[in-house]
């Protein structure tokens, strides 16, 4: 079932996409329901940055992961299997970004994180190249080939996963690290502030419901 944002941050965000994906893995079927939320105050600026994408450059996401048959039925405990689940969750987010034309350049951090309620999850921080529309891009031509390079700005994606009942909850966010060169009005409207955006993602991690899927809306 779709996972809502914590009440403490929901006023500044709205759901823009929701999709369900199924995949088979060994003896189990994994169903992931992903919701992407855009930041209301800067949504217009993000739209001007890139009009045709489904994942805004400043966004949050939640993923409800369900497994059938349950992990317990196949002899696994979700907490003990977190080390295996975390890379799979990361791969799923990388695929979602790639489907939207967003490239992941590398992994900056990989670590376990604690919530105030004592739940332990795993966090990956990814370096991202976020594509932008040509109207916002500087004139950047590859001298060797004579071709114009694809225009991107540096961005960062956070992906965290926690055991939840007999399955997992994944959450995170995407944030811009820079604005396009020379696009002063757009840069002002986009309001790039990585420290503030990272704190918003931390607020998501702290307030996210990890109750069983049947208790989430």
């Amino acid at each position: 079932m779709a996972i809502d944002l914590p009440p403490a941050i929901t006023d500044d965000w709205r759901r823009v996409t929701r999709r369900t994906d199924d995949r088979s893995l060994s003896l189990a079927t994994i169903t992931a329901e992903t919701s992407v939320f855009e930041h209301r105050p800067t949504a217009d600026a993000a739209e001007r940055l890139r009009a045709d994408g489904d994942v805004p450059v400043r966004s949050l996401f939640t993923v409800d992961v369900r497994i059938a048959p349950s992990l317990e039925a196949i002899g696994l405990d979700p907490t003990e299997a977190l080390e295996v689940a975390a890379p799979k969750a990361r791969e799923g987010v990388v695929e979602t970004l790639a489907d939207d034309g967003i490239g992941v350049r590398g992994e900056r951090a990989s670590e376990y994180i604690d919530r105030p309620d004592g739940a332990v999850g795993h966090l990956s921080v990814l370096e991202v190249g976020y594509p932008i529309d040509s109207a916002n891009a500087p004139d950047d031509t590859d001298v060797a080939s004579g071709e114009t390079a694809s225009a991107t700005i540096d961005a960062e994606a956070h992906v965290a996963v926690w055991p939840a009942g007999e399955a997992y909850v994944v959450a995170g966010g995407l944030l811009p690290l820079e604005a396009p060169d020379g696009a002063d009005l757009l840069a002002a409207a986009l309001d790039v502030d990585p420290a503030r955006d990272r704190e918003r993602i931390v607020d998501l991690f702290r307030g996210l419901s990890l109750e069983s899927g049947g208790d989430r809306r």
Side-chain angles (χ1 to χ4, degrees), residues 111-145:
E111 60 191 18
Y112 289 96
I113 56 172
D114 299 328
R115 284 175 26 127
D117 60 8
V120 177
H122 185 276
L123 170 68
S124 295
V125 180
L126 309 175
E127 297 175 344
V128 171
Y130 190 87
I132 60 175
D133 290 343
S134 58
N136 299 311
D139 185 8
D140 185 10
T141 301
D142 187 301
V143 176
S145 66

Side-chain angles (χ1 to χ4, degrees), residues 167-191:
Y168 296 94
V169 165
V170 181
L174 183 68
L175 60 102
L177 300 178
E178 62 179 354
D181 291 340
D184 294 341
L185 292 178
L186 176 57
L190 190 61
D191 189 21

Side-chain angles (χ1 to χ4, degrees), residues 43-155:
D44 288 344
E47 179 73 13
R48 295 203 301 275
L49 186 73
R50 179 180 181 231
D52 62 352
D54 291 328
V55 181
V57 69
R58 177 175 287 115
S59 54
L60 300 176
F61 62 84
T62 62
V63 188
D64 183 18
V65 180
R66 285 162 281 164
I67 303 172
S70 68
L71 290 178
E72 182 180 29
I74 58 178
L76 293 174
D77 178 89
T79 300
E80 295 176 354
L82 180 60
E83 187 173 343
V84 176
K88 295 297 182 182
R90 175 191 179 281
E91 290 171 13
V93 172
V94 169
E95 289 177 6
T96 297
L97 294 176
D99 288 345
D100 201 48
I102 303 168
V104 173
R105 297 168 174 168
E107 187 175 55
R108 181 181 304 163
S110 176
E111 60 191 18
Y112 289 96
I113 56 172
D114 299 328
R115 284 175 26 127
D117 60 8
V120 177
H122 185 276
L123 170 68
S124 295
V125 180
L126 309 175
E127 297 175 344
V128 171
Y130 190 87
I132 60 175
D133 290 343
S134 58
N136 299 311
D139 185 8
D140 185 10
T141 301
D142 187 301
V143 176
S145 66
E147 298 180 353
T148 301
S150 297
T152 63
I153 59 171
D154 290 340

Side-chain angles (χ1 to χ4, degrees), residues 182-216:
D184 294 341
L185 292 178
L186 176 57
L190 190 61
D191 189 21
V192 175
D193 188 339
R196 179 201 59 210
D197 287 342
R198 291 180 187 123
E199 188 59 35
R200 285 175 174 148
I201 294 173
V202 170
D203 289 340
L204 168 63
F205 292 168
R206 288 172 176 163
L208 189 69
S209 172
L210 300 184
E211 296 178 358
S212 62
D215 294 330
R216 290 193 296 262

